[in-house]
Amino acid sequence: MRKVPLGEWNFVPPSGGRLPTSRGDGIWESEAVRISLRHEGLAFHPDHGEEAVCRLAVVLTDAGADAESDVAEPSLAEREDETTGRWRQRIRQAEERVPRLESDIPGLEDYYRRSLISGLICLWEHPLFKIQPLPSVSGMDGGGINSYPWDAAGYAGQVLTMLLGADKSMEYLRFMEEGGIDRHISFAPDGTGDKPFAYSYSLWSFVHFAWSTFCQHGADREWFSVLRRVLEVDERRLSRHGDLLDYGEQHHLLEMRGSGYEHVVCSPNAERAWCYERLADLAAFFGMEGAAGWKERADRIREAIREELWDESAGWFHSVYPDGHRELVYSIQAYDALRMGACTSEMAMALLSHLQDGKFLGPYGVSSVSAEDELHYELNDPDWSGGGSFAGEGPILAQTLWETGHPDLAWDVLKRHLWMGSHLPYFPQEHYCDRPMTPAHKRANNISGLAGVQAILFGMAGMRPQLDGSLLAFPRPPAEGRVTLIGYTFRGHRIDAHMEPGYCRIDRDGSCIYEGAPKRIRVV
């Protein structure tokens, strides 16, 4: 037992100190920490049929410090009420900012709620944390009380900015920028960056969260130069392959247990193109020069992905090594290239042909590597090497399919995850796709579990917040039941979406603005 500085709390729980020794009367102590067990009502003798309530508290203080005053005033009952009150406040706030879902499709409501809870339990608060709340990556088992941009700002960025609100979203952007988003893999609760440059998806995640915040709450001109500076970091430090960048080895990318998806790959080069297109949109929106140049750069990157990495015979992307070696890895990350606009319609259909049972699809989710890839597929690392996937990956694949006009396939992907809503209290770091189970040795929860809510709201319901403050929607109801989203708040308006097979109704501020066959609608 020891005191651990906030800067040392990262993905792996910090190492412990010496075991505390008993001091008697419910007190244990090490050289740095005292543990005190306090209770109320622990001794009771109920008669048959009677009930009694007792409360226990484990209080940590500095070694030698008496914890009695910490629990005597207020009482443990009052502490319990305070905790309950805080949770109720957080839930009320979530209900105000994230719409409620009602559906007669078995399992969908439970899945949606558990997805939302998976995000709420990752919003950690402490007086010494640099920001309140901290969007931690996990934390329920003592590991992951830190913030990974890819998990929080990347996978769940659209819903996270709704949960945080405008001001707190800007605080989180500043937290990542000041902590060194271009230099570190993640951030401890005090803002300390962990490890030098690692994940190649961090910069895209930062831009994605900024864009999501701008579209949901309003754009801030001062952030344009920040986004531009951050994106140029990779252009300077990474080696080039024409218009594409070499992102290095596995620890910079997916952390697979084997080689293959490395160096010049379709994703995150496709995300890089998306980021430059967003710079072009921001420049045009603010009336700044250079919009055409940023758009041209995005187009060049996408064209290079198509020309340099696509294998028409395989219907998939190559990874290219510095020595010219080309590797074909059937990684689910290829669908990010589809989402980022790097694929022609022919390429899209080729990619989608691999979304089949026994390949990428399993009865309980998706596989991060297709089982058809005999060289790279394995069962020891479900999140990125096969046999299952990272918590946010399946819902994001579904959202991608809805966004790119494949609603039936999108629903087929998402509904394979509905078992999680009834089997799990919150969504873990990863899960298997061939059975309803999660790896016991991985993090118990993950903030990217919010991607389930995001897929339904921005994919199935098709909400499309725009930079100019308008809102488009293109509901794509599944063919097997009713889905209603109640209370999506946007720029002072309340939006309700009612969906049934072949039908939708959109209400704005209590009045119907469209009813009929699903189509693209201007809502605000």
Side-chain angles (χ1 to χ4, degrees):
M1 178 68 69
R2 68 187 181 97
K3 295 179 68 175
V4 180
L6 286 178
E8 295 181 19
W9 286 94
N10 290 300
F11 191 68
V12 178
S15 59
R18 295 180 180 177
L19 289 174
T21 58
S22 176
R23 295 287 188 261
D25 195 25
I27 295 176
W28 296 262
E29 198 164 73
S30 68
E31 66 276 9
V33 178
R34 171 174 287 190
I35 306 170
S36 301
L37 178 63
R38 294 292 180 262
H39 61 85
E40 291 176 358
L42 189 58
F44 54 88
H45 303 280
D47 292 332
H48 179 73
E50 290 184 338
E51 296 181 355
V53 175
C54 64
R55 296 177 177 85
L56 301 175
V58 177
V59 182
L60 305 181
T61 59
D62 290 333
D66 189 359
E68 189 67 34
S69 61
D70 290 337
V71 295
E73 192 63 44
S75 67
L76 295 188
E78 290 170 319
R79 295 274 187 178
E80 179 187 4
D81 289 341
E82 179 187 6
T83 301
T84 303
R86 291 218 176 185
W87 258 111
R88 285 174 176 166
Q89 179 184 9
R90 177 170 292 184
I91 291 171
R92 283 195 301 270
Q93 189 176 68
E95 289 175 338
E96 292 171 356
R97 295 175 175 177
V98 177
R100 184 174 82 254
L101 182 142
E102 296 179 354
S103 177
D104 60 2
I105 299 175
L108 185 59
E109 288 186 7
D110 287 341
Y111 175 79
Y112 185 87
R113 291 172 186 146
R114 292 301 177 184
S115 173
L116 180 56
I117 286 290
S118 298
L120 296 183
I121 62 173
C122 287
L123 300 180
W124 283 59
E125 295 177 275
H126 189 281
L128 297 181
F129 286 5
K130 188 170 183 180
I131 57 173
Q132 309 290 343
L134 173 74
S136 68
V137 63
S138 300
M140 293 298 288
D141 58 4
I145 309 178
N146 62 330
S147 192
Y148 274 85
W150 194 21
D151 299 49
Y155 279 93
Q158 288 171 284
V159 173
L160 182 59
T161 191
M162 295 170 62
L163 281 175
L164 293 179
D167 293 342
K168 293 295 183 180
S169 293
M170 290 298 184
E171 284 185 28
Y172 185 45
L173 279 172
R174 189 68 68 189
F175 172 85
M176 291 188 285
E177 184 213 2
E178 293 179 351
I181 184 67
D182 55 349
R183 302 187 304 277
H184 299 291
I185 184 174
S186 68
F187 307 102
D190 66 351
T192 301
D194 178 36
K195 301 178 184 178
F197 165 68
Y199 277 156
S200 299
Y201 301 92
S202 293
L203 301 188
W204 168 78
S205 300
F206 182 71
V207 177
H208 175 257
F209 188 73
W211 180 257
S212 299
T213 299
F214 296 163
C215 290
Q216 181 69 28
H217 303 296
D220 189 332
R221 184 187 180 101
E222 72 166 285
W223 281 95
F224 180 87
S225 60
V226 175
L227 299 179
R228 181 178 61 187
R229 177 187 62 78
V230 164
L231 288 176
E232 290 298 322
V233 169
D234 273 358
E235 305 293 333
R236 294 192 301 270
R237 71 182 166 196
L238 299 180
S239 58
R240 305 189 71 85
H241 181 88
D243 284 308
L244 304 178
L245 295 183
D246 184 328
Y247 285 94
E249 298 176 349
Q250 286 294 351
H251 65 284
H252 293 307
L253 288 156
L254 300 181
E255 297 179 300
M256 295 171 66
R257 302 307 181 198
S259 60
Y261 195 86
E262 299 178 289
H263 295 289
V264 184
V265 291
C266 61
S267 167
N269 268 299
E271 282 90 335
R272 176 170 154 252
W274 182 91
C275 290
Y276 283 120
E277 190 168 53
R278 301 291 77 76
L279 277 188
D281 292 339
L282 285 169
F285 180 73
F286 290 126
M288 305 166 67
E289 296 182 356
W294 300 120
K295 181 64 168 62
E296 181 183 353
R297 180 182 288 195
D299 291 341
R300 289 201 311 269
I301 295 169
R302 288 172 174 141
E303 183 63 28
I305 291 172
R306 293 190 284 267
E307 292 184 355
E308 301 293 331
L309 303 183
W310 183 250
D311 184 325
E312 186 173 353
S313 61
W316 207 256
F317 294 102
H318 280 288
S319 304
V320 179
Y321 281 69
D323 63 359
H325 169 70
R326 302 175 75 85
E327 190 95 2
L328 198 66
V329 183
Y330 286 87
S331 168
I332 200 168
Q333 292 304 108
Y335 294 101
D336 285 351
L338 174 63
R339 188 184 189 200
M340 301 300 152
C343 300
T344 64
S345 58
E346 291 78 14
M347 292 166 64
M349 296 312 297
L351 289 173
L352 297 181
S353 72
H354 296 272
L355 288 177
Q356 298 180 24
D357 286 292
K359 294 184 178 182
F360 274 110
L361 302 184
Y364 299 100
V366 300
S367 178
S368 52
V369 171
S370 173
E372 68 186 306
D373 190 337
E374 297 179 357
L375 180 61
H376 303 97
Y377 177 87
E378 50 107 331
L379 297 173
N380 189 48
D381 180 33
D383 60 347
W384 295 120
S385 299
S389 63
F390 180 64
E393 197 60 46
I396 288 299
L397 175 59
Q399 182 177 347
T400 297
L401 295 170
W402 268 307
E403 290 174 343
T404 54
H406 307 282
D408 293 340
L409 189 53
W411 174 241
D412 183 36
V413 168
L414 187 70
K415 71 181 181 182
R416 295 168 189 261
H417 299 80
L418 299 188
W419 65 271
M420 300 172 70
S422 57
H423 282 61
L424 302 172
Y426 32 76
F427 297 165
Q429 176 184 343
E430 61 201 72
H431 59 87
Y432 298 109
C433 66
D434 62 343
R435 56 198 185 277
M437 289 182 62
T438 66
H441 61 291
K442 295 296 185 75
R443 293 280 81 87
N445 69 304
N446 192 281
I447 195 170
S448 72
L450 270 175
V453 170
Q454 185 169 288
I456 294 168
L457 179 57
F458 297 99
M460 181 192 295
M463 297 299 172
R464 300 283 192 277
Q466 303 294 304
L467 192 62
D468 64 0
S470 62
L471 174 66
L472 307 178
F474 195 167
R476 308 299 291 267
E480 56 190 89
R482 174 186 55 79
V483 182
T484 298
L485 286 162
I486 303 170
Y488 172 47
T489 57
F490 180 77
R491 309 288 182 101
H493 296 281
R494 173 193 165 107
I495 313 300
D496 302 330
H498 310 269
M499 295 173 281
E500 298 178 12
Y503 166 86
C504 73
R505 189 180 85 242
I506 302 294
D507 297 341
R508 184 186 64 216
D509 301 325
S511 299
C512 178
I513 62 169
Y514 177 79
E515 183 175 16
K519 68 174 186 177
R520 191 178 303 278
I521 307 155
R522 181 171 292 274
V523 182
V524 175

